[in-house]
């Protein structure tokens, strides 16, 4: 099922984990990566990037969220905290959860100081128009 929201596209899938039916809430790219494991047992980060034709940085963020965070749906070989292009990933058949709904968080990109300043300037400019419009409406009401 696809649910389009303003900033994200989330996919809800139902799966039986152990003997409990649970719902997984994942981002679109996470769901694509997980679906790859229906066709082959192991993939390297490089293979996933080539197969999905997605930038390696995006693939790495997705693999970190699926294999190195709290909910480990993927098993990484070698088992360490660093991620290299030739690291192998496979689906974790031993994964269990007591929760009925599992949300797999995504890794957010760090913004530079320039990007943060640009965003703040844009927000302030947009708010200024709203403030000006509110002042005009108020002044028209009191005339």
């Amino acid at each position: 099922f696809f649910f389009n929201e303003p900033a994200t596209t989330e996919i809800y899938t139902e799966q039986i984990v152990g003997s409990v039916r649970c719902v997984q809430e994942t981002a679109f790219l996470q769901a694509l990566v997980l679906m790859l494991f229906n066709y082959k047992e192991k993939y390297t980060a490089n293979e996933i990037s080539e197969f999905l034709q997605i930038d390696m940085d995006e693939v790495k963020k997705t693999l970190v969220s699926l294999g190195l965070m709290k909910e480990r749906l993927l098993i990484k070989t070698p088992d360490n905290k660093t991620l290299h292009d030739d690291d192998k990933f496979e689906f974790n058949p031993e994964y269990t959860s007591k929760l009925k709904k599992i949300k797999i968080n995504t890794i957010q990109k760090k913004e530079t100081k320039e990007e943060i300043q640009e965003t703040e300037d844009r927000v302030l400019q947009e708010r200024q128009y709203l403030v000006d419009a509110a002042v005009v409406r108020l002044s028209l009401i009191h005339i």
Side-chain angles (χ1 to χ4, degrees):
F1 300 98
F2 295 91
F3 292 74
N4 289 325
E5 294 182 7
T8 64
T9 301
E10 295 176 340
I11 296 180
Y12 298 87
T13 57
E14 284 192 27
Q15 155 181 340
I16 297 177
V17 178
S19 61
V20 177
R21 182 179 295 269
C22 70
V23 176
Q24 296 172 340
E25 183 180 326
T26 62
F28 184 71
L29 188 53
Q30 291 170 327
L32 284 177
V33 170
L34 288 174
M35 287 192 299
L36 283 178
F37 291 94
N38 288 329
Y39 303 105
K40 189 173 157 185
E41 284 187 25
K42 291 186 179 185
Y43 286 96
T44 64
N46 221 5
E47 289 173 332
I48 293 171
S49 176
E50 289 174 15
F51 188 81
L52 296 177
Q53 297 179 356
I54 296 172
D55 183 45
M56 182 57 86
D57 292 335
E58 290 296 319
V59 170
K60 283 184 176 182
K61 287 192 297 188
T62 302
L63 290 172
V64 166
S65 68
L66 292 172
L68 299 175
M69 302 297 278
K70 182 180 176 186
E71 304 291 339
R72 292 182 184 232
L73 295 175
L74 299 179
I75 299 171
K76 179 182 163 302
T77 308
D79 188 19
N80 55 26
K81 297 286 183 189
T82 59
L83 183 63
H84 302 288
D85 293 355
D86 58 346
D87 288 349
K88 294 188 183 207
F89 290 86
E90 63 183 300
F91 185 75
N92 183 3
E94 311 274 314
Y95 175 77
T96 59
S97 177
K98 295 178 183 176
L99 303 174
K100 294 208 180 216
K101 183 176 180 182
I102 304 164
K103 180 172 173 71
I104 311 295
N105 293 322
T106 56
I107 306 297
Q108 300 298 321
K109 182 181 110 175
K110 298 276 187 194
E111 290 187 70
T112 64
K113 289 184 178 182
E114 294 85 23
E115 291 173 329
I116 293 171
Q117 187 62 41
E118 285 177 23
T119 304
E120 287 177 1
D121 291 344
R122 223 174 320 118
V123 167
L124 288 175
Q125 185 178 11
E126 290 173 9
R127 285 184 186 160
Q128 185 61 44
Y129 295 132
L130 295 173
V131 169
D132 291 345
V135 168
V136 168
R137 281 194 303 270
L138 287 173
S139 64
L140 290 175
I141 290 173
H142 293 295
I143 292 180

